[in-house]
Amino acid sequence: GVGETGLDFYYDNSDRDKQIESFKIHIKAALEANIPLIIHSRNAEEKTYEVLNEYKDEKLKILMHCFTGSSKFANNLIKLDAFFSASGIITFKKSQELQKTFQEIPVEKLLIETDSPFLAPDPLRGKGNEPSFIVHTLKKLSLLKNIDLKALDRITTENFNKLFF
């Protein structure tokens, strides 16, 4: 895939127009190569959607990396056929809004990631994250979606294969 790319307006460390320009270059590269675009979006939901929506008719393969966005943002992205990756953040006690959003996202649009070495899931929060910890994120997502753990493991793996192969 192309990425991690996208827009991050949280710290304002880089010019927003230059971020948008770079994002569009990456979108065009993903379209040319017919590979997924792996997107980071922080404090930039409206602009991220606005830019992506410009390419709605071009079969852009979208993966929202470490998704922490709002329900409204998720619903808009679903219209663009986006996939959403859940990280350890969904296991955090204070992530109830994000948990509700993941309950609403269709299961055929879900993936799971570690974002290693960051964002270790509860009960390992505060440690360096590693791939073996992903089981905790899978368990939480399984509870949120009310889906058998093994079934969700299979579904998210199939979703990955649909997106990348």
Side-chain angles (χ1 to χ4, degrees):
V2 173
E4 176 178 338
T5 187
L7 304 175
D8 192 324
F9 298 162
Y10 184 74
Y11 288 113
D12 241 356
N13 285 335
S14 59
D15 182 81
R16 290 181 181 197
D17 289 334
K18 286 183 180 175
Q19 285 189 51
I20 294 164
E21 180 183 335
S22 177
F23 187 33
K24 288 181 176 183
I25 290 168
H26 290 144
I27 290 170
K28 289 172 186 167
L31 285 166
E32 264 185 47
N34 192 31
I35 57 177
L37 185 71
I38 303 159
I39 301 172
H40 168 98
S41 179
R42 188 172 186 199
N43 285 42
E45 289 187 4
E46 286 182 29
K47 187 50 105 174
T48 299
Y49 176 69
E50 181 183 312
V51 170
L52 290 172
N53 197 45
E54 292 176 27
Y55 300 88
K56 67 182 176 201
D57 297 327
E58 298 196 44
K59 304 285 186 198
L60 182 61
K61 298 175 183 180
I62 300 169
L63 173 58
M64 297 305 297
H65 153 72
C66 193
F67 186 74
T68 57
S70 68
S71 181
K72 178 183 176 187
F73 188 36
N75 286 326
N76 283 333
L77 292 167
I78 287 167
K79 294 173 193 169
L80 300 178
D81 205 26
F83 286 79
F84 302 82
S85 189
S87 71
I89 295 173
I90 68 165
T91 69
F92 299 172
K93 290 173 181 63
K94 292 185 179 181
S95 292
Q96 285 112 359
E97 280 301 310
L98 182 61
Q99 292 169 5
K100 286 182 198 172
T101 299
F102 269 94
Q103 285 176 317
E104 297 170 7
I105 295 171
V107 71
E108 63 272 7
K109 292 296 178 183
L110 293 176
L111 282 82
I112 300 173
E113 68 172 278
T114 62
D115 199 36
S116 185
F118 308 106
L119 305 174
D122 276 343
L124 303 163
R125 192 167 178 190
K127 295 183 177 189
N129 203 357
E130 62 180 62
S132 69
F133 296 175
I134 204 165
V135 68
H136 299 286
T137 305
L138 177 64
K139 284 179 184 175
K140 183 64 176 188
L141 193 57
S142 171
L143 290 171
L144 292 173
K145 300 299 286 180
N146 194 27
I147 297 173
D148 175 75
L149 190 73
K150 287 183 181 181
L152 185 59
D153 183 30
R154 181 183 43 76
I155 291 166
T156 56
T157 300
E158 288 172 0
N159 291 345
F160 172 85
N161 288 325
K162 275 189 248 176
L163 181 61
F164 282 90
F165 299 106

